[in-house]
Amino acid sequence: MTETSKNKVSRRNFMGYVATGVAAAAIFGAGGYLAGQSSTSSTGPQTVTKSVTNVSTKTVTSTQPVTSTITSTTTAGAGGPAKRVVIAWNNEIIGLDPHTGQGSDVMDSPRESMFEHLINPIKPIGYGPGMLIKYAYENEQKTILDCEVRKGVTFHNGDELTSEDIKFSIERMASPGMFVPFVWANVTQFDILDKYRLKLHFDHYDPGFIPWMGFLEAYVTPKNYFEQVGEDEFLKNPVGCGPFKFKSFNAGVLELDAFNDYWQGPPAISSVIFKPVLDASARAAEVEAGTSDFTLQVDISDFQRLKNNTNLTGMSPLIADVAFLYVAPYFEPFKDEGVRLACHYAIDKHSLVNDVMLGMGQPLSTTAAPGYEHYDPTFNFPYDPEKAKSLLAEAGYSSSNPLKITLQTTKGWKSKDFEIMQAIADMLKTVGMEVDLETLAGPYQLFDNRDHGNLSALAFYVWSNSTGTSWSSVGYEMSSNSPFSAWSGLKFAELEDYTGLMAENDQRVDPVFFEPDDNKRLEIGKAAEKWVVERGLIIPLYQQSQTLLMNKNLNYEPWTQGGIKPYTMSWTS
């Protein structure tokens, strides 16, 4: 999932809309996830202009900066001053509140450098002990979670981590305006047993609660410090217990210093700077010139050229992110299922991966990638342009009456995002469609379009699911009660569902959120993934590779979840 919280009723009441099991009790409270990922419409630059560059391409721009500069003098390369690492970052950093979330492990990496999760992500996909070293349900109904807090952890201001900080953090995450309050609002009672033991009581069993404790905004914050200085001051000078402590946040650039009392030991680097550089080519130029030490999501052609540079190291691991196309249910021609499926049949995913991505990715038939618990390698949706033409003809379209369709894409947010959509536009034209391609300023513009019912017929997105679970992929992608689905904007703007499938969609998808039997939930997830594809409600494309470039003397091992973890970086002497 990739986003910040948004002020919508559906977000705050998401759980309340989904019925639980036989008792049909409400299981969701508000919001929803994902890398997928929601935006706050009032966050960041809001001035948007459109200009038509030709009859088939439209560009949407905004006031967001392309690059950010560091106010202090920086020298990247060989660690710079005292082994500092400068990262040319591919996203704007929208505030420092740990509990509002950014929507994916990658986008949340700056905050994760300062704060610790309740439990920790582990490789390749999964979770293990973090600030909670034990967490187990103690009753058959799985409504009481017995937790033990890690001893010997100190916050950046010297306060010791205790059960009270865990309670305070969960209560704050459950408050209105936070990223996914519905997850945490399910906790109805806290029993503080002692300084390092507490029990959480739930209104109902939520199979996603434990994974969510290691995900996105599930960070621990210091109760005493927060209450002493107040929220406004805390957000100006945040204090966590992560490997790096806050130094400054100016002009969008975040500077952090190593926290020498970190519970796992001090970082090997002295400081880290996240410098937003939103243009992919500019990020590549940063590391090539040595003004940054590390960057990600560079253009693949730049990556291929620079990975052989004797001063740089290049890596391109497959990560848990999945590229897909949102299918807007309020696009009138999509009332015909054949038209929706024709769009999918027309796309040659192997060509996208091999010819556009230069092999850096893996074609997919559902939005579950290898490694996800519900991935089904036996399901295949074929490339069949002749079938696409036939379906369009059956729907009444022809060369004299072509289907007119608009696509939306970001440019430079993800590797080759724009080029992928150019290729898809050409593939759709080949089967007889008339295609416009609209370029958005960035992911937040896409989120705003989705949230308010302004998606074009098909819109490119990359979904992050570091949990590998069905609820965090097909669940949040497709439930009409999820603020991360295309249905969300339909409901917000009170648009017509031309597919007529919203109710059936929820019947098939929503059980991934509440089925208590793990095996049954797994099969429900597999079936739901296939059903939404076979009905033309989403178009999976490929599993994403993450292009990384860094100074040759910088040591780093990538994470499957995609997050960038400066704590694991070190300089070769």
Side-chain angles (χ1 to χ4, degrees), residues 71-98:
T71 53
S72 58
T73 302
T74 62
T75 305
K83 296 186 177 180
R84 176 172 57 195
V85 170
V86 179
I87 300 176
W89 196 236
N90 71 323
N91 288 291
E92 292 178 278
I93 301 174
I94 309 296
L96 301 177
D97 192 326

Side-chain angles (χ1 to χ4, degrees), residues 170-193:
I170 293 176
E171 288 179 329
R172 185 169 188 267
M173 289 187 284
S175 62
M178 298 298 103
F179 185 55
V180 284
F182 69 85
V183 171
W184 315 105
N186 187 29
V187 182
T188 58
Q189 178 182 325
F190 297 85
D191 294 341
I192 303 294
L193 305 181

Side-chain angles (χ1 to χ4, degrees), residues 268-496:
I269 61 175
S270 62
S271 60
V272 61
I273 297 171
F274 290 91
K275 178 174 64 169
V277 182
L278 304 187
D279 181 79
S281 296
R283 291 195 297 275
E286 285 269 335
V287 293
E288 184 176 19
T291 51
S292 288
D293 304 301
F294 183 100
T295 194
L296 68 160
Q297 294 294 355
V298 299
D299 186 270
I300 291 175
S301 57
D302 285 329
F303 176 82
Q304 296 284 44
R305 176 175 60 88
L306 292 175
K307 71 177 182 178
N308 297 318
N309 186 310
T310 57
N311 295 317
L312 301 174
T313 298
M315 302 178 185
S316 55
L318 281 170
I319 58 175
D321 290 6
V322 170
F324 65 72
L325 299 181
Y326 276 114
V327 175
Y330 39 83
F331 179 56
E332 187 170 1
F334 282 168
K335 64 185 176 183
D336 190 314
E337 182 175 298
V339 174
R340 301 194 303 270
L341 291 174
C343 294
H344 197 170
Y345 281 119
I347 298 173
D348 184 349
K349 300 171 190 177
H350 287 275
S351 176
L352 294 180
V353 169
N354 294 327
D355 299 332
V356 182
M357 301 294 289
L358 303 182
M360 294 185 190
Q362 179 167 274
L364 294 175
S365 289
T366 72
T367 59
Y372 287 19
E373 64 180 12
H374 60 300
Y375 172 67
D376 184 355
T378 67
F379 178 70
N380 177 60
F381 193 98
Y383 166 57
D384 191 341
E386 295 306 314
K387 177 72 170 177
K389 293 177 183 178
S390 174
L391 289 171
L392 290 172
E394 290 175 13
Y397 295 103
S398 63
S399 58
S400 60
N401 179 39
L403 172 66
K404 297 179 181 180
I405 192 169
T406 299
L407 316 181
Q408 288 175 341
T409 181
T410 51
K411 186 174 184 179
W413 173 50
K414 298 293 184 179
S415 295
K416 293 290 186 182
D417 46 6
F418 179 71
E419 290 80 3
I420 284 288
M421 290 303 282
Q422 282 184 312
I424 289 175
D426 287 341
M427 292 171 186
L428 297 181
K429 290 176 184 178
T430 298
V431 299
M433 300 185 199
E434 185 176 306
V435 185
D436 285 346
L437 180 59
E438 183 178 307
T439 307
L440 305 178
Y444 294 105
Q445 185 63 39
L446 172 66
F447 302 156
D448 188 72
N449 286 351
R450 182 200 57 202
D451 298 347
H452 296 93
N454 293 319
L455 286 176
S456 62
L458 302 173
F460 178 85
Y461 188 67
V462 175
W463 186 274
S464 179
N465 178 9
S466 63
T467 70
T469 58
S470 58
W471 54 264
S472 192
S473 56
V474 68
Y476 283 120
E477 291 162 359
M478 295 306 303
S479 172
S480 78
N481 298 306
S482 165
F484 307 105
S485 71
W487 308 104
S488 175
L490 177 148
K491 288 174 140 183
F492 178 87
E494 299 181 342
L495 302 173
E496 183 173 350

Side-chain angles (χ1 to χ4, degrees), residues 472-538:
S472 192
S473 56
V474 68
Y476 283 120
E477 291 162 359
M478 295 306 303
S479 172
S480 78
N481 298 306
S482 165
F484 307 105
S485 71
W487 308 104
S488 175
L490 177 148
K491 288 174 140 183
F492 178 87
E494 299 181 342
L495 302 173
E496 183 173 350
D497 171 23
Y498 287 108
T499 72
L501 292 173
M502 186 166 65
E504 184 179 358
N505 172 83
D506 289 352
Q507 290 173 0
R508 292 175 178 272
V509 170
D510 287 354
V512 301
F513 293 110
F514 57 76
E515 170 56 54
D517 184 282
D518 292 342
N519 292 327
K520 289 182 181 178
R521 191 171 62 253
L522 182 67
E523 294 305 314
I524 289 170
K526 286 182 179 180
E529 286 277 6
K530 290 188 285 187
W531 185 84
V532 296
V533 170
E534 291 172 337
R535 301 310 295 270
L537 299 177
I538 195 169

